[in-house]
């Protein structure tokens, strides 16, 4: 019975791979715009900063009620992360000009 299940699973995987290969053969490469690349990088950086803050606060055992009150429209920690991600390139440029 297990062999039959594994055989069916293998056939399903094989059929899925063949269908994907067929669909990819006719699909053209999507072209990313500069705006989409910039937004992807911004969201990725902000997400990394947010996760770092979350881990830092849980490591330091800072209670969540300190920064996640229900009075705010946006979670303050996420807003701070987004602001830091927006400011980061400007700070790096200033830092590089100062170091010259």
């Amino acid at each position: 019975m297990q062999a039959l299940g594994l055989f069916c699973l293998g056939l399903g995987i094989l059929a899925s791979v063949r269908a994907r290969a067929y669909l990819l053969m006719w699909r053209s490469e999507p072209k990313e715009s500069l705006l989409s690349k910039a937004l992807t990088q911004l969201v990725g950086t902000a997400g990394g900063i947010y996760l770092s803050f979350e881990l830092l606060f849980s490591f330091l055992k800072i209670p969540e009620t300190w920064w996640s009150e229900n009075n705010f429209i946006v979670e303050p920690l996420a807003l701070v992360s987004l602001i830091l991600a927006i400011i980061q390139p400007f700070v790096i440029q200033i830092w590089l000009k100062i170091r010259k």
Side-chain angles (χ1 to χ4, degrees), residues 16-28:
S16 175
V17 168
R18 289 189 64 179
R20 276 186 201 268
Y22 180 75
L23 289 175
L24 287 175
M25 184 173 58
W26 299 104
R27 181 181 284 175
S28 63

Side-chain angles (χ1 to χ4, degrees), residues 1-9:
M1 194 61 160
Q2 289 179 349
L4 180 63
L6 287 175
F7 180 73
C8 289
L9 179 66

Side-chain angles (χ1 to χ4, degrees), residues 38 79 88:
L79 183 63
Q88 179 188 14

Side-chain angles (χ1 to χ4, degrees), residues 7-98:
F7 180 73
C8 289
L9 179 66
L11 282 177
I13 291 172
L14 182 64
S16 175
V17 168
R18 289 189 64 179
R20 276 186 201 268
Y22 180 75
L23 289 175
L24 287 175
M25 184 173 58
W26 299 104
R27 181 181 284 175
S28 63
E29 257 327 287
K31 296 184 179 170
E32 295 180 2
S33 68
L34 290 177
L35 179 64
S36 69
K37 287 181 184 179
L39 283 175
T40 302
Q41 185 177 4
L42 176 68
V43 170
T45 302
I49 293 170
Y50 177 79
L51 288 175
S52 298
F53 278 149
E54 283 285 339
L55 290 173
L56 178 68
F57 286 162
S58 68
F59 178 74
L60 296 175
K61 296 184 180 175
I62 297 174
E64 284 190 24
T65 56
W66 183 72
W67 76 85
S68 64
E69 293 292 323
N70 292 333
N71 300 336
F72 300 107
I73 296 172
V74 179
E75 185 177 349
L77 201 56
L79 183 63
V80 169
S81 301
L82 187 61
I83 290 171
L84 285 175
I86 292 170
I87 293 174
Q88 179 188 14
F90 299 111
V91 172
I92 290 174
Q93 286 180 357
I94 291 169
W95 176 255
L96 291 175
K97 286 182 181 179
I98 290 173

